[in-house]
């Protein structure tokens, strides 16, 4: 039985700070329980201020970065110094401002090309977590307006990958390749945390939470951690269309 928690914050700044606090707390709890924490971070624009908050003087000291391993939920096929690179964004916002061992940073080597990068990333996951489907302590996910998450876009091939933990995925609407964790990996996490901000996401948030049964047309509806927790961190704009009476555990701040 998964637990679903929804937290709503007044604005993007409050949402970012609260999400950073939550990520730090999950990291510390995992280290206390198992000696290390393994997380997969999201790309895109929304999490930038979360990573900046996590690297702030007040928060970064609270995390034992020596025992935190950071992976990525997905990556675009661009060099690390490209503005579109998820790794490049996290490096600027987080890695450049904390003392984390280089060996604890596990990027997707986009320069190899999608298929080779997916193979190399899966091997790195296996080294860190063994040959079963990896179990992350936390996977931070964003949400696209049409319901994609990580790089699992509607009606794309990687949605149907059931064996591998990582997959190359061609995205017709973008006419580009991505590398992404697969549903098997996302749904094996101890916790999946969706981070969504902005009025432009209100409709898809409502669809995914209120209305939709699981469908390949809206990949975020397929995220259901089999033995973990699903948490939604939203700002008021993104939550504007939610029928809060449906969620007894919904908390507004
Ligand atoms: C990516 C992300 C993707 C992102 C959503 C939302 O690489 O783009 O992994 O899934 O989280 O597209 O992106 P924004 O936060 O920019 O709206």
């Amino acid at each position: 039985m998964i637990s679903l928690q929804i937290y709503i914050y007044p604005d993007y700044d409050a949402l970012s700070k609260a999400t950073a606090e939550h990520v730090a707390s999950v990291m510390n709890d995992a280290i206390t329980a198992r000696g290390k924490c393994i997380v997969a971070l999201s790309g895109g624009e929304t999490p930038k201020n979360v990573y900046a908050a996590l690297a702030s003087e007040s928060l970064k000291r609270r995390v034992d970065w020596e025992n935190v391993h950071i992976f990525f939920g997905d990556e675009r096929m661009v060099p690390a110094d490209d503005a579109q690179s998820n790794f490049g964004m996290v490096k600027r916002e987080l890695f450049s401002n904390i003392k984390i061992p280089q060996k604890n940073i596990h990027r997707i080597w986009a320069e190899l090309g999608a298929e080779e990068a997916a193979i190399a990333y899966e091997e790195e996951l296996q080294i860190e977590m063994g040959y079963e489907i990896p179990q992350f302590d936390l996977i931070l996910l964003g949400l696209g307006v049409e319901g994609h998450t990580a790089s699992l876009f509607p009606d794309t091939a990687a949605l149907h990958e059931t064996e591998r933990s990582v997959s190359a995925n061609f995205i017709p609407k973008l006419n580009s390749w991505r590398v992404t964790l697969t549903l098997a990996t996302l749904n094996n996490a101890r916790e999946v945390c969706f981070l969504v901000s902005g009025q432009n996401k209100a409709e898809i948030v409502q669809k995914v939470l209120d209305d939709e049964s699981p469908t390949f047309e809206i990949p975020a509806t397929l995220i259901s951690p089999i033995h973990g927790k699903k948490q939604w961190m939203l700002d008021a704009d993104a939550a504007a269309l939610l029928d809060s009476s449906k969620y007894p555990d919904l908390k507004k701040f």
Side-chain angles (χ1 to χ4, degrees):
M1 176 68 186
I2 68 160
S3 78
L4 171 65
Q5 277 155 339
I6 303 171
Y7 297 122
I8 300 172
Y9 297 85
D11 55 38
Y12 175 60
D13 185 50
L15 170 67
S16 300
K17 290 191 174 99
T19 304
E21 290 276 353
H22 177 63
V23 171
S25 157
V26 170
M27 288 176 171
N28 288 331
D29 290 351
I31 293 167
T32 302
R34 289 175 291 281
K36 69 176 175 180
C37 173
I38 306 179
V39 300
L41 297 182
S42 169
E45 293 300 312
T46 305
K48 281 184 176 174
N49 285 12
V50 173
Y51 305 146
L54 206 46
S56 65
E57 284 307 316
S58 59
L59 201 44
K60 68 182 175 186
R61 289 201 193 89
R62 283 169 32 195
V63 178
D64 171 12
W65 297 104
E66 282 289 324
N67 290 306
V68 174
H69 285 259
I70 296 182
F71 288 80
F72 289 79
D74 67 328
E75 188 56 276
R76 298 87 179 273
M77 294 299 101
V78 295
D81 59 359
D82 186 296
Q84 284 299 309
S85 167
N86 289 337
F87 166 74
M89 179 270 286
V90 180
K91 182 179 175 188
R92 285 189 299 278
E93 300 297 340
L94 180 61
F95 299 148
S96 308
N97 304 302
I98 59 172
K99 289 190 174 54
I100 183 170
Q102 276 306 308
K103 66 175 177 57
N104 291 21
I105 298 172
H106 307 272
R107 63 169 289 215
I108 298 171
W109 289 90
E111 296 84 345
L112 297 173
E115 192 47 51
E116 285 306 310
I119 292 166
Y121 195 54
E122 191 161 42
E123 285 168 0
E124 191 150 347
L125 280 165
Q126 288 166 347
I127 291 165
E128 195 58 44
M129 292 193 257
Y131 289 84
E132 302 297 316
I133 291 288
Q135 183 168 47
F136 285 90
D137 293 300
L138 174 67
I139 300 180
L140 191 61
L141 290 176
L143 181 64
V145 290
E146 88 294 355
H148 81 261
T149 192
S151 282
L152 296 170
F153 283 74
D155 300 319
T156 54
L159 284 170
H160 305 284
E161 173 57 60
T162 54
E163 301 302 315
R164 295 175 63 188
S165 53
V166 185
S167 179
N169 198 24
F170 182 72
I171 318 298
K173 75 174 270 194
L174 303 176
N175 191 31
S176 65
W177 284 89
R178 297 274 188 99
V179 169
T180 184
L181 295 179
T182 57
L183 284 171
T185 304
L186 299 182
N187 285 332
N188 196 40
R190 287 190 172 86
E191 177 182 329
V192 167
C193 182
F194 278 99
L195 168 71
V196 193
S197 166
Q199 201 169 353
N200 67 319
K201 301 284 178 75
E203 198 173 322
I204 191 63
V205 165
Q206 185 205 22
K207 263 180 182 265
V208 174
L209 275 170
D210 276 359
D211 301 348
E212 287 296 331
S213 54
T215 167
F216 286 115
E217 288 159 23
I218 306 180
T221 60
L222 302 169
I223 305 302
S224 186
I226 44 181
H227 33 234
K229 194 170 110 178
K230 183 159 61 171
Q231 183 151 322
W232 286 78
M233 301 292 274
L234 305 168
D235 63 13
D237 285 343
L241 300 179
L242 265 191
D243 174 1
S244 47
S245 65
K246 285 187 178 179
Y247 302 99
D249 290 342
L250 182 148
K251 291 188 177 62
K252 277 188 183 170
F253 296 89

